[in-house]
Amino acid sequence: MRALDIIRAKRDGRVLTRGEIDAFVAGVTDGSWPDYQVSALLMAILLRGMTLDEATHLTHSMIGSGVRLDWSDIQGSFAGGVAVDKHSTGGVGDKTSLILAPLAAACGALVPMMSGRGLGHTGGTLDKLAAIPGFRTDLSLAEMRTALVATGCVLIRQTADVAPADRRLYALRDATATVESLPLISSSILSKKVTEGIGALVMDVKVGSGGFMARVDDARELARWLVGIATRSGVRTEAFLTRMDTPLGRTVGNANEVHEAIATLKGQGPADLESLSVHLAARMLVMAGAAGEHDAEEQIRNALTSGRGLQKFADILSAQGGDPRVIDDPSLMPMADHERMIPAPRSGFVSKLDAGAVGHAAVVLGAGRDHVDGIIDPGVGIDVLAPEGTEVREGDAVLRVIYRDAARRDAALARLTTAVDISDAAPAPRPLILETIRAQEQP
Ligand code: URA
């Protein structure tokens, strides 16, 4: 099957056969398709689109380019009998994985969570975990299985043999302005998630300046593709559109986010972070069949208030070589020792605290990376002292910038000049969860 014929077929708007999609993915994986032919097909897909069947098959083919994990020998001992995960399209201050994974595991679920590094202004779970002394995310398959049997949850990195086709495709999409295709985004995300051997999935599709999609309509469309493909792949899936125009919780960075996640597991977290984490964890239980519609949230709340979620987090730390003393002593994590407050320019109510601006400022400080080889400083970041809706007086601190390097601080401050708006009247409270997308709503 010639690459040229497959490119021509999609260029002319034809639906690709399974054989053609498999030939494409094989050519991407073994290198027999040169960059220019892969890129040409990617552009044809962007312009001509794909059917749900094509995108589902592309996802399967990409999964088949690497290993697929299988928990069938152990999952029967866990609640619901299938492994379950949550995936977020990425946000600013989004540390829910660190909270909901132990909460769901504390309720008996099996959670083999594989995460990626952050890129751009959205943080990555792996980078946050790297702030914990000793914590290993590079477990071998055998170590992963041992840890899962012991605790029901692992928090690890995607290994090189997870959907290797996606790595080459993503790099080429990035360089050829073809990232934005919904079937390509969905197959990229799901090829890495379905590989975890899960039978259930909850998707958090962020909407707003700090997310991957700025507009609700676009996020809804993406959520429909994700739910459609995952469901056709045998993974029971539900997606939530959640607001990401202001940071989630009160911290943006790495060590400070881990600290806040631990505080939330102690019942001392901010309301927005706690409620979203509890909701998503409860939906994980429902999707996995580990709890009913009516008692899932109660089970998760019990795990939170009883301290079982926190204990599970400690067990996960120990199983993966991390120092569980960070739970009582966050100073064991690196923390930069300079700070600069951003004051309210006038008295009133904080009516805007822009997630995109805060996320970009955090990257400039060194809390994120703007290219794949960027080095993260886990001890820098931004704390939100006056979240949206807070009444402030002129000069009150709204943000705390935690930094090591004055030049980076100044660059971050420049990013923050338009991040905060103050209004005379209190802004109307807005819901955090905007919509739920279920399996019947196909793209
Ligand atoms: N995240 C991914 O993993 N892939 C995409 O294409 C976009 C976001």
Side-chain angles (χ1 to χ4, degrees):
M1 208 171 286
R2 292 192 323 152
L4 194 63
D5 296 325
I6 300 174
I7 296 165
R8 185 179 292 117
K10 187 43 83 182
R11 181 201 68 188
D12 294 344
R14 185 163 68 65
V15 172
L16 298 181
T17 64
R18 291 181 171 211
E20 287 168 332
I21 291 171
D22 287 342
F24 167 55
V25 173
V28 170
T29 311
D30 67 17
S32 59
W33 278 45
D35 284 354
Y36 51 84
Q37 285 183 317
V38 176
S39 304
L41 185 53
L42 289 172
M43 185 58 81
I45 291 172
L46 177 109
L47 296 173
R48 289 296 198 165
M50 278 188 141
T51 63
L52 191 54
D53 268 344
E54 280 178 296
T56 304
H57 193 69
L58 176 62
T59 309
H60 292 178
S61 216
M62 284 162 68
I63 292 168
S65 71
V67 294
R68 183 173 182 162
L69 305 179
D70 178 11
W71 309 115
S72 48
D73 55 331
I74 60 169
Q75 62 193 10
S77 341
F78 290 87
V82 295
V84 59
D85 196 5
K86 183 255 357 176
H87 179 77
S88 157
T89 56
V92 175
D94 183 4
K95 69 283 290 171
T96 55
S97 290
L98 303 182
I99 302 160
L100 57 78
L103 285 176
C107 295
L110 176 64
V111 188
M113 186 179 277
M114 267 192 209
S115 305
R117 304 191 310 171
L119 184 61
H121 68 282
T122 63
T125 301
L126 275 190
D127 299 325
K128 302 182 212 300
L129 291 168
I132 302 171
F135 192 82
R136 284 183 55 217
T137 53
D138 59 345
L139 302 191
S140 67
L141 263 183
E143 288 173 322
M144 188 177 176
R145 188 171 292 271
T146 306
L148 270 180
V149 169
T151 68
C153 177
V154 285
L155 302 170
I156 59 160
R157 69 181 57 229
Q158 278 144 8
T159 54
D161 44 15
V162 166
D166 178 62
R167 214 156 307 117
R168 183 161 175 227
L169 285 177
Y170 193 85
L172 288 173
R173 286 166 59 210
D174 208 22
T176 57
T178 51
V179 168
E180 288 85 351
S181 153
L182 292 177
L184 292 179
I185 296 171
S186 310
S187 54
S188 166
I189 291 174
L190 289 172
S191 64
K192 291 169 289 199
K193 278 286 130 180
V194 178
T195 292
E196 291 174 351
I198 49 176
L201 177 64
V202 172
M203 294 286 321
D204 181 3
V205 179
K206 300 284 187 200
V207 193
S209 67
F212 188 57
M213 296 282 178
R215 297 177 47 238
V216 173
D217 289 351
D218 295 335
R220 184 185 302 117
E221 226 12 56
L222 174 60
R224 287 180 174 162
W225 276 96
L226 288 164
V227 172
I229 295 173
T231 306
R232 280 165 177 244
S233 307
V235 179
R236 202 165 164 223
T237 304
E238 196 170 65
F240 296 90
L241 308 190
T242 70
R243 203 155 50 75
M244 184 29 76
D245 46 13
T246 197
L248 185 63
R250 303 287 182 88
T251 56
V252 179
N254 293 288
N256 58 345
E257 290 203 34
V258 174
H259 187 184
E260 186 177 39
I262 292 170
T264 305
L265 284 168
K266 289 177 176 171
Q268 298 156 5
D272 60 342
L273 179 61
E274 180 185 296
S275 70
L276 184 60
S277 304
V278 166
H279 184 73
L280 295 175
R283 297 315 299 175
M284 287 168 74
L285 294 189
V286 175
M287 286 296 107
E293 289 284 342
H294 300 296
D295 64 343
E297 189 133 347
E298 193 185 328
Q299 280 198 38
I300 294 290
R301 283 238 164 254
N302 282 342
L304 183 65
T305 49
S306 65
R308 282 187 293 118
L310 184 67
Q311 182 56 49
K312 184 62 79 177
F313 186 68
D315 295 344
I316 296 165
L317 291 189
S318 301
Q320 296 188 223
D323 186 345
R325 290 177 307 157
V326 296
I327 289 176
D328 293 316
D329 183 2
S331 71
L332 292 169
M333 291 186 282
M335 190 50 69
D337 44 17
H338 299 294
E339 58 182 40
R340 171 70 66 90
M341 301 298 175
I342 308 280
R346 66 184 182 92
S347 298
F349 293 85
V350 179
S351 56
K352 181 187 92 173
L353 188 49
D354 184 59
V358 173
H360 285 291
V363 171
V364 169
L365 285 174
R369 55 175 79 72
D370 47 15
H371 60 281
V372 275
D373 301 320
I375 307 280
I376 299 264
D377 180 343
V380 299
I382 297 173
D383 289 348
V384 177
L385 305 179
E388 275 186 10
T390 311
E391 185 169 9
V392 288
R393 296 164 68 103
E394 182 180 340
D396 284 354
V398 177
L399 296 172
R400 173 175 31 226
V401 175
I402 308 157
Y403 68 95
R404 256 183 245 281
D405 175 89
R408 283 177 175 264
R409 173 202 63 201
D410 291 343
L413 294 180
R415 293 274 186 168
L416 292 171
T417 47
T418 56
V420 180
D421 274 353
I422 306 289
S423 61
D424 294 331
R430 292 176 299 157
L432 191 52
I433 299 175
L434 304 173
E435 280 180 37
T436 306
I437 308 292
R438 301 206 161 84
Q440 55 276 20
E441 299 169 43
Q442 308 278 297

mmCIF file of all heavy atoms in Angstrom, residues 87-90 158 166 169-170 173 178-192 212 222, ligand 1:
data_model
loop_
_atom_site.group_PDB
_atom_site.id
_atom_site.type_symbol
_atom_site.label_atom_id
_atom_site.label_comp_id
_atom_site.label_asym_id
_atom_site.label_seq_id
_atom_site.Cartn_x
_atom_site.Cartn_y
_atom_site.Cartn_z
ATOM 1 N N HIS A 87 -8.426 11.806 33.156
ATOM 2 C CA HIS A 87 -7.460 12.574 32.354
ATOM 3 C C HIS A 87 -7.964 14.001 32.231
ATOM 4 O O HIS A 87 -9.145 14.223 31.965
ATOM 5 C CB HIS A 87 -7.300 11.961 30.961
ATOM 6 C CG HIS A 87 -6.341 12.730 30.105
ATOM 7 N ND1 HIS A 87 -4.978 12.628 30.265
ATOM 8 C CD2 HIS A 87 -6.538 13.627 29.115
ATOM 9 C CE1 HIS A 87 -4.376 13.435 29.394
ATOM 10 N NE2 HIS A 87 -5.302 14.054 28.691
ATOM 11 N N SER A 88 -7.040 14.946 32.417
ATOM 12 C CA SER A 88 -7.402 16.349 32.227
ATOM 13 C C SER A 88 -6.672 16.855 30.998
ATOM 14 O O SER A 88 -5.517 16.484 30.745
ATOM 15 C CB SER A 88 -6.981 17.140 33.459
ATOM 16 O OG SER A 88 -6.832 18.506 33.126
ATOM 17 N N THR A 89 -7.350 17.718 30.231
ATOM 18 C CA THR A 89 -6.673 18.287 29.066
ATOM 19 C C THR A 89 -5.667 19.354 29.495
ATOM 20 O O THR A 89 -4.985 19.916 28.663
ATOM 21 C CB THR A 89 -7.691 18.879 28.068
ATOM 22 O OG1 THR A 89 -8.502 19.837 28.755
ATOM 23 C CG2 THR A 89 -8.567 17.805 27.461
ATOM 24 N N GLY A 90 -5.572 19.613 30.778
ATOM 25 C CA GLY A 90 -4.494 20.470 31.292
ATOM 26 C C GLY A 90 -4.975 21.848 31.682
ATOM 27 O O GLY A 90 -5.732 22.485 30.948
ATOM 28 N N GLN A 158 4.608 8.051 31.409
ATOM 29 C CA GLN A 158 4.431 7.229 30.215
ATOM 30 C C GLN A 158 5.805 6.735 29.788
ATOM 31 O O GLN A 158 6.721 7.534 29.644
ATOM 32 C CB GLN A 158 3.836 8.059 29.086
ATOM 33 C CG GLN A 158 2.349 8.186 29.185
ATOM 34 C CD GLN A 158 1.856 9.543 28.728
ATOM 35 O OE1 GLN A 158 2.615 10.339 28.199
ATOM 36 N NE2 GLN A 158 0.593 9.809 28.957
ATOM 37 N N ASP A 166 2.531 8.029 18.548
ATOM 38 C CA ASP A 166 2.036 9.357 18.940
ATOM 39 C C ASP A 166 3.188 10.348 19.109
ATOM 40 O O ASP A 166 3.032 11.530 18.812
ATOM 41 C CB ASP A 166 1.229 9.282 20.240
ATOM 42 C CG ASP A 166 0.763 10.668 20.668
ATOM 43 O OD1 ASP A 166 -0.005 11.279 19.908
ATOM 44 O OD2 ASP A 166 1.204 11.159 21.720
ATOM 45 N N LEU A 169 4.102 11.553 15.693
ATOM 46 C CA LEU A 169 2.989 12.319 15.115
ATOM 47 C C LEU A 169 2.846 13.667 15.811
ATOM 48 O O LEU A 169 2.658 14.696 15.168
ATOM 49 C CB LEU A 169 1.677 11.534 15.250
ATOM 50 C CG LEU A 169 1.497 10.370 14.288
ATOM 51 C CD1 LEU A 169 0.195 9.637 14.578
ATOM 52 C CD2 LEU A 169 1.506 10.875 12.840
ATOM 53 N N TYR A 170 2.962 13.654 17.166
ATOM 54 C CA TYR A 170 2.756 14.917 17.891
ATOM 55 C C TYR A 170 3.833 15.932 17.508
ATOM 56 O O TYR A 170 3.536 17.113 17.271
ATOM 57 C CB TYR A 170 2.731 14.695 19.412
ATOM 58 C CG TYR A 170 2.215 15.930 20.104
ATOM 59 C CD1 TYR A 170 0.849 16.144 20.252
ATOM 60 C CD2 TYR A 170 3.087 16.919 20.536
ATOM 61 C CE1 TYR A 170 0.357 17.305 20.815
ATOM 62 C CE2 TYR A 170 2.605 18.086 21.102
ATOM 63 C CZ TYR A 170 1.239 18.265 21.244
ATOM 64 O OH TYR A 170 0.767 19.421 21.796
ATOM 65 N N ARG A 173 2.987 17.247 14.112
ATOM 66 C CA ARG A 173 1.807 18.132 14.157
ATOM 67 C C ARG A 173 2.216 19.502 14.687
ATOM 68 O O ARG A 173 1.781 20.535 14.187
ATOM 69 C CB ARG A 173 0.726 17.518 15.048
ATOM 70 C CG ARG A 173 0.012 16.348 14.389
ATOM 71 C CD ARG A 173 -0.792 15.563 15.408
ATOM 72 N NE ARG A 173 -1.777 16.384 16.068
ATOM 73 C CZ ARG A 173 -2.196 16.175 17.330
ATOM 74 N NH1 ARG A 173 -1.701 15.183 18.046
ATOM 75 N NH2 ARG A 173 -3.104 16.958 17.853
ATOM 76 N N THR A 178 -0.784 21.380 12.530
ATOM 77 C CA THR A 178 -1.881 20.410 12.426
ATOM 78 C C THR A 178 -2.293 19.869 13.790
ATOM 79 O O THR A 178 -2.958 18.831 13.873
ATOM 80 C CB THR A 178 -1.508 19.241 11.477
ATOM 81 O OG1 THR A 178 -0.243 18.716 11.870
ATOM 82 C CG2 THR A 178 -1.441 19.695 10.045
ATOM 83 N N VAL A 179 -1.902 20.575 14.867
ATOM 84 C CA VAL A 179 -2.304 20.123 16.208
ATOM 85 C C VAL A 179 -3.819 20.182 16.361
ATOM 86 O O VAL A 179 -4.430 19.324 16.989
ATOM 87 C CB VAL A 179 -1.614 20.974 17.309
ATOM 88 C CG1 VAL A 179 -2.235 20.719 18.678
ATOM 89 C CG2 VAL A 179 -0.118 20.667 17.353
ATOM 90 N N GLU A 180 -4.467 21.179 15.750
ATOM 91 C CA GLU A 180 -5.857 21.503 16.096
ATOM 92 C C GLU A 180 -6.930 20.526 15.610
ATOM 93 O O GLU A 180 -8.098 20.697 15.933
ATOM 94 C CB GLU A 180 -6.222 22.905 15.569
ATOM 95 C CG GLU A 180 -5.559 24.036 16.337
ATOM 96 C CD GLU A 180 -4.147 24.358 15.846
ATOM 97 O OE1 GLU A 180 -3.619 23.574 15.013
ATOM 98 O OE2 GLU A 180 -3.580 25.366 16.286
ATOM 99 N N SER A 181 -6.573 19.528 14.846
ATOM 100 C CA SER A 181 -7.595 18.588 14.367
ATOM 101 C C SER A 181 -8.177 17.777 15.529
ATOM 102 O O SER A 181 -7.444 17.107 16.271
ATOM 103 C CB SER A 181 -6.933 17.642 13.360
ATOM 104 O OG SER A 181 -7.595 16.418 13.329
ATOM 105 N N LEU A 182 -9.519 17.798 15.707
ATOM 106 C CA LEU A 182 -10.127 17.089 16.844
ATOM 107 C C LEU A 182 -9.890 15.579 16.789
ATOM 108 O O LEU A 182 -9.557 14.981 17.809
ATOM 109 C CB LEU A 182 -11.618 17.418 16.943
ATOM 110 C CG LEU A 182 -11.903 18.877 17.345
ATOM 111 C CD1 LEU A 182 -13.400 19.147 17.354
ATOM 112 C CD2 LEU A 182 -11.315 19.202 18.706
ATOM 113 N N PRO A 183 -10.042 14.916 15.607
ATOM 114 C CA PRO A 183 -9.725 13.476 15.614
ATOM 115 C C PRO A 183 -8.261 13.191 15.945
ATOM 116 O O PRO A 183 -7.951 12.205 16.618
ATOM 117 C CB PRO A 183 -10.047 13.014 14.188
ATOM 118 C CG PRO A 183 -10.625 14.169 13.465
ATOM 119 C CD PRO A 183 -10.670 15.362 14.359
ATOM 120 N N LEU A 184 -7.354 14.078 15.530
ATOM 121 C CA LEU A 184 -5.930 13.847 15.850
ATOM 122 C C LEU A 184 -5.658 14.096 17.334
ATOM 123 O O LEU A 184 -4.908 13.345 17.964
ATOM 124 C CB LEU A 184 -5.024 14.727 14.985
ATOM 125 C CG LEU A 184 -4.992 14.377 13.485
ATOM 126 C CD1 LEU A 184 -4.078 15.337 12.720
ATOM 127 C CD2 LEU A 184 -4.542 12.931 13.256
ATOM 128 N N ILE A 185 -6.256 15.133 17.907
ATOM 129 C CA ILE A 185 -6.065 15.389 19.345
ATOM 130 C C ILE A 185 -6.619 14.206 20.143
ATOM 131 O O ILE A 185 -5.957 13.678 21.045
ATOM 132 C CB ILE A 185 -6.813 16.678 19.790
ATOM 133 C CG1 ILE A 185 -6.244 17.920 19.114
ATOM 134 C CG2 ILE A 185 -6.748 16.834 21.306
ATOM 135 C CD1 ILE A 185 -7.086 19.189 19.340
ATOM 136 N N SER A 186 -7.833 13.782 19.780
ATOM 137 C CA SER A 186 -8.486 12.720 20.556
ATOM 138 C C SER A 186 -7.719 11.403 20.461
ATOM 139 O O SER A 186 -7.525 10.714 21.464
ATOM 140 C CB SER A 186 -9.914 12.498 20.054
ATOM 141 O OG SER A 186 -10.585 13.726 19.963
ATOM 142 N N SER A 187 -7.273 11.058 19.247
ATOM 143 C CA SER A 187 -6.553 9.776 19.129
ATOM 144 C C SER A 187 -5.212 9.863 19.852
ATOM 145 O O SER A 187 -4.753 8.879 20.441
ATOM 146 C CB SER A 187 -6.373 9.384 17.663
ATOM 147 O OG SER A 187 -5.746 10.426 16.954
ATOM 148 N N SER A 188 -4.605 11.044 19.870
ATOM 149 C CA SER A 188 -3.336 11.211 20.578
ATOM 150 C C SER A 188 -3.537 11.002 22.075
ATOM 151 O O SER A 188 -2.816 10.224 22.725
ATOM 152 C CB SER A 188 -2.791 12.620 20.291
ATOM 153 O OG SER A 188 -1.752 12.963 21.161
ATOM 154 N N ILE A 189 -4.528 11.688 22.641
ATOM 155 C CA ILE A 189 -4.767 11.570 24.085
ATOM 156 C C ILE A 189 -5.149 10.132 24.446
ATOM 157 O O ILE A 189 -4.599 9.526 25.363
ATOM 158 C CB ILE A 189 -5.894 12.543 24.521
ATOM 159 C CG1 ILE A 189 -5.410 14.000 24.408
ATOM 160 C CG2 ILE A 189 -6.373 12.246 25.937
ATOM 161 C CD1 ILE A 189 -6.491 15.045 24.684
ATOM 162 N N LEU A 190 -6.102 9.574 23.677
ATOM 163 C CA LEU A 190 -6.637 8.270 24.072
ATOM 164 C C LEU A 190 -5.684 7.123 23.790
ATOM 165 O O LEU A 190 -5.709 6.107 24.475
ATOM 166 C CB LEU A 190 -7.993 8.042 23.397
ATOM 167 C CG LEU A 190 -9.090 8.939 23.971
ATOM 168 C CD1 LEU A 190 -10.367 8.823 23.147
ATOM 169 C CD2 LEU A 190 -9.377 8.601 25.431
ATOM 170 N N SER A 191 -4.810 7.270 22.789
ATOM 171 C CA SER A 191 -3.860 6.173 22.553
ATOM 172 C C SER A 191 -3.006 5.971 23.799
ATOM 173 O O SER A 191 -2.626 4.848 24.129
ATOM 174 C CB SER A 191 -2.979 6.458 21.333
ATOM 175 O OG SER A 191 -2.170 7.603 21.558
ATOM 176 N N LYS A 192 -2.743 7.062 24.538
ATOM 177 C CA LYS A 192 -1.916 6.933 25.741
ATOM 178 C C LYS A 192 -2.740 6.505 26.953
ATOM 179 O O LYS A 192 -2.220 5.866 27.851
ATOM 180 C CB LYS A 192 -1.213 8.271 26.008
ATOM 181 C CG LYS A 192 -0.141 8.566 24.936
ATOM 182 C CD LYS A 192 0.407 9.968 24.993
ATOM 183 C CE LYS A 192 -0.571 10.993 24.542
ATOM 184 N NZ LYS A 192 -0.031 12.298 24.160
ATOM 185 N N PHE A 212 -6.658 24.148 27.261
ATOM 186 C CA PHE A 212 -6.281 23.834 25.884
ATOM 187 C C PHE A 212 -7.290 24.445 24.920
ATOM 188 O O PHE A 212 -6.969 24.819 23.800
ATOM 189 C CB PHE A 212 -6.263 22.305 25.788
ATOM 190 C CG PHE A 212 -5.713 21.744 24.522
ATOM 191 C CD1 PHE A 212 -4.435 22.062 24.115
ATOM 192 C CD2 PHE A 212 -6.473 20.878 23.749
ATOM 193 C CE1 PHE A 212 -3.926 21.533 22.943
ATOM 194 C CE2 PHE A 212 -5.968 20.344 22.590
ATOM 195 C CZ PHE A 212 -4.698 20.671 22.191
ATOM 196 N N LEU A 222 -14.591 18.661 21.406
ATOM 197 C CA LEU A 222 -13.482 17.768 21.768
ATOM 198 C C LEU A 222 -13.976 16.679 22.724
ATOM 199 O O LEU A 222 -13.657 15.492 22.556
ATOM 200 C CB LEU A 222 -12.346 18.573 22.422
ATOM 201 C CG LEU A 222 -11.184 17.747 22.977
ATOM 202 C CD1 LEU A 222 -10.513 16.918 21.880
ATOM 203 C CD2 LEU A 222 -10.138 18.645 23.660
HETATM 204 N N1 URA B 1 -2.482 16.310 24.444
HETATM 205 C C1 URA B 1 -2.068 15.207 23.775
HETATM 206 O O1 URA B 1 -1.602 14.249 24.362
HETATM 207 N N2 URA B 1 -2.189 15.212 22.429
HETATM 208 C C2 URA B 1 -2.704 16.235 21.744
HETATM 209 O O2 URA B 1 -2.793 16.155 20.550
HETATM 210 C C3 URA B 1 -3.126 17.367 22.454
HETATM 211 C C4 URA B 1 -3.015 17.374 23.815
#
